[in-house]
Amino acid sequence: MPPDPNRIVELPTRLIHAPIITVEQHLLREQRRFAGVSGEFSWLVSGITLATKLIQAKVRRAGLSDILGAAGIINVQGEVQQKLDIYANEMMVHSLSARDSVAMLASEENEHPLLAHGGSPNAKYIVVFDPLDGSSNIDVCGSVGTTFSILRRASERLDSAVMADEVLQRGCKQVAAGYVVYGPSTMLVYSAGNGVHGFTLDPAVGAYVLSHPDIRMPEHGKYYSMNEAYLERSPGAYRRYVARLHRGELGRRYASRYIGSMIADFHRTLLIGGVFLYPPNDQHPQGKLRLLYEANPIAFIAEHAGGSASDGHRRILDIQPESIHQRTPLVVGGREEMKAFEAEMAADSAT
Ligand code: P6P
């Protein structure tokens, strides 16, 4: 019996509701929510996904090529630059500057902002990033990551030259933010203000695939995460807060987990709850972490997942930056841990 050329075969529903959603598909679906939004935003984010795929390929081979180890160069932070830092920064700068919607870039690795398409009327966005955070963990096969923060240009006149201080915007002005964590798997976590979504890289096909839709930070966890070596040299309120966690006064006795790579430590806090702290101490009186490209993207993700982030006195996203590489204390966690932290800080201020 020859096949009937006019017969249409129904697709199995399992294929119609395909579980495979790439980050590109997700972004296109997301931006349909914004009337009149062109594909510029998703094209910009594709620059980040491309760069981080190139970075992860190098991170995965760090021990197999001569890229391992320090480059012997001291960066603007006064830190010994690992070769992968340099490579990661070049990949982010190259990929993002190829997007004509990007007016300016600011990187942890560069002292000053980098002009991309600063005078083009299409260049609506500024991207701030740390290309490889936690890079001191590379030589010991620890998790590292890339952070990014996307801002709209502050200037009304997009055809005018972009000014360096346009990058100094409060974190609440972020259009989108997120990070990529290079761990046992590579995962992109981002928010554009409509939930927080995680995409795991399928190395076989080189696609970020939706694996954690609409991430919600648990109201409480069982871990706190900080470098306790400095606790004695931090303000008393931090010591009293951690002592409360030890004594189980929040309803459970907390255990400690600390990798020494902010993105990996925060990623655990985001997925299973708890609190991450980098308080001020005598070595870092303003805190160690950078406001623009570490604290702000993390705080944006935390808040859109139901948590919160503070510098000990203010909401991180409300802080008006004064300089690109400005440092800040950072405490970020679930609702219960942050409520207890804010109460401790308020009691301290009242004494
Ligand atoms: P410490 C990595 O160098 C980093 O910037 C963050 O990723 C991390 O949270 C912090 O420093 C670790 O600092 O003082 O505990 O080594």
Side-chain angles (χ1 to χ4, degrees), residues 166-305:
E166 287 190 59
V167 75
L168 300 178
Q169 298 181 43
R170 289 177 298 139
C172 56
K173 296 288 190 184
Q174 292 175 103
V175 175
Y179 58 85
V180 173
V181 54
Y182 311 106
S185 60
T186 296
M187 196 167 151
L188 164 71
V189 175
Y190 97 96
S191 178
N194 182 38
V196 174
H197 310 286
F199 300 80
T200 299
L201 181 68
D202 179 342
V205 296
Y208 280 109
V209 177
L210 183 64
S211 53
H212 295 68
D214 201 16
I215 298 172
R216 302 299 294 165
M217 188 185 274
E219 296 223 337
H220 70 76
K222 57 184 179 180
Y223 297 125
Y224 72 98
S225 184
M226 70 179 300
N227 187 334
E228 288 201 65
Y230 305 139
L231 184 56
E232 286 311 305
R233 296 160 15 207
S234 293
Y238 288 91
R239 298 200 297 273
R240 286 189 291 277
Y241 174 65
V242 172
R244 291 190 63 201
L245 299 178
H246 286 160
R247 291 195 299 263
E249 289 182 18
L250 270 64
R252 65 209 67 83
R253 296 173 78 93
Y254 283 71
S256 170
R257 287 284 186 282
Y258 190 67
I259 299 170
S261 182
M262 176 197 67
I263 295 170
D265 283 318
F266 172 71
H267 189 62
R268 176 192 55 249
T269 307
L270 175 70
L271 293 189
I272 62 174
V275 58
F276 169 80
L277 310 92
Y278 205 106
N281 57 52
D282 57 352
Q283 195 178 344
H284 294 294
Q286 300 306 319
K288 176 183 182 184
L289 302 177
R290 309 293 178 168
L291 173 61
L292 276 183
Y293 42 78
E294 289 178 322
N296 274 347
I298 291 301
F300 187 83
I301 293 291
E303 287 202 5
H304 284 287

